[in-house]
Amino acid sequence: MDDDQFDSALIGSAMAQAETLGWRHVTVAAAAREAGLALDLARTRFPHQASVLVRLGVLADQAALVDDGSTGTVRERLFDMLMRRFDVLQQYRGGVQTVMRALPFDPALVVMLAFETRTSMAWMAQASGLDTGGLAGSLRITGLVGVWLQTLRAWERDDSPDLSGTMAALDRALDRAASLGRFLGGRLSPPPEITPEVPVDAVDPDGLGLEGLGPDEPFAPGPVISPG
């Protein structure tokens, strides 16, 4: 069993415990025993209860960031990546829903997950081609965090087999983010084929500040965030 298989097995066991017993009763040791996993390795890879959620977020990011060779607008890439994250959460749906219900009673967990969510959305933004530099870039990431949280609430209620409700909610959230973009300022770096002689309005005719979320904006790869 490699590390990824070990992590998936422990996360699955912990999420099953959460669904049955409630999140506050989940322990890494009990999840490891239930899954028949070595306790010493569990201690190394999951030092505390919240590590389960951190690692689940990383697995969701890895699935979202897989390069499948597809092309499209920045908005389309964001849509696809965020839905791939939901596909991972769907595997642990009952446990994740339990964690979400526990959040109002665990402020420390809320703070930790807020930090992890922002890190994830920074990866999504840069992988999609959005410029995340400076204040305008920070606001773009904040906007994408809002898109994720709005859609997450819809996912929690979505019992359709194909997550059609979640997809519709994500589509609406991205549209709202695009409309708010005109107030955030900043622009994507122009793609290589655009020369200085091309008027800016020809690239962004609607003047959206968060251009990458507009339906007609071409994809422009952004820098990769360094690990850590």
Side-chain angles (χ1 to χ4, degrees), residues 117-187:
T117 298
R118 186 171 180 86
T119 299
S120 294
M121 292 304 107
W123 272 100
M124 301 302 110
Q126 290 201 0
S128 73
L130 283 174
D131 181 357
T132 59
L135 177 59
S138 179
L139 290 172
R140 289 188 182 95
I141 295 172
T142 299
L144 193 54
V145 169
V147 167
W148 172 257
L149 294 178
Q150 290 174 36
T151 312
L152 183 63
R153 288 191 288 270
W155 172 82
E156 185 183 13
R157 301 186 299 269
D158 186 4
D159 57 2
S160 61
D162 59 354
L163 294 184
S164 57
T166 302
M167 289 189 284
L170 177 56
D171 201 49
R172 291 192 298 270
L174 287 171
D175 284 343
R176 284 194 293 270
S179 66
L180 288 173
R182 66 181 67 250
F183 301 109
L184 301 184
R187 295 185 175 278

Side-chain angles (χ1 to χ4, degrees), residues 53-186:
L53 301 180
V54 173
R55 184 58 184 158
L56 176 55
V58 171
L59 293 180
D61 289 346
Q62 290 173 336
L65 293 167
V66 167
D67 185 1
D68 58 3
S70 61
T71 59
T73 66
V74 173
R75 187 188 190 285
E76 289 168 344
R77 290 174 67 86
L78 281 172
F79 184 93
D80 291 343
M81 285 190 292
L82 294 182
M83 282 308 304
R84 286 198 290 268
R85 288 194 98 242
F86 281 116
D87 287 340
V88 173
L89 296 189
Q90 187 71 5
Q91 299 173 38
Y92 311 98
R93 182 176 181 83
V96 174
Q97 289 174 316
T98 300
V99 172
M100 292 175 68
R101 290 192 292 269
L103 288 178
F105 310 101
D106 195 338
L109 185 60
V110 170
V111 172
M112 186 211 75
L113 291 180
F115 175 81
E116 295 296 330
T117 298
R118 186 171 180 86
T119 299
S120 294
M121 292 304 107
W123 272 100
M124 301 302 110
Q126 290 201 0
S128 73
L130 283 174
D131 181 357
T132 59
L135 177 59
S138 179
L139 290 172
R140 289 188 182 95
I141 295 172
T142 299
L144 193 54
V145 169
V147 167
W148 172 257
L149 294 178
Q150 290 174 36
T151 312
L152 183 63
R153 288 191 288 270
W155 172 82
E156 185 183 13
R157 301 186 299 269
D158 186 4
D159 57 2
S160 61
D162 59 354
L163 294 184
S164 57
T166 302
M167 289 189 284
L170 177 56
D171 201 49
R172 291 192 298 270
L174 287 171
D175 284 343
R176 284 194 293 270
S179 66
L180 288 173
R182 66 181 67 250
F183 301 109
L184 301 184

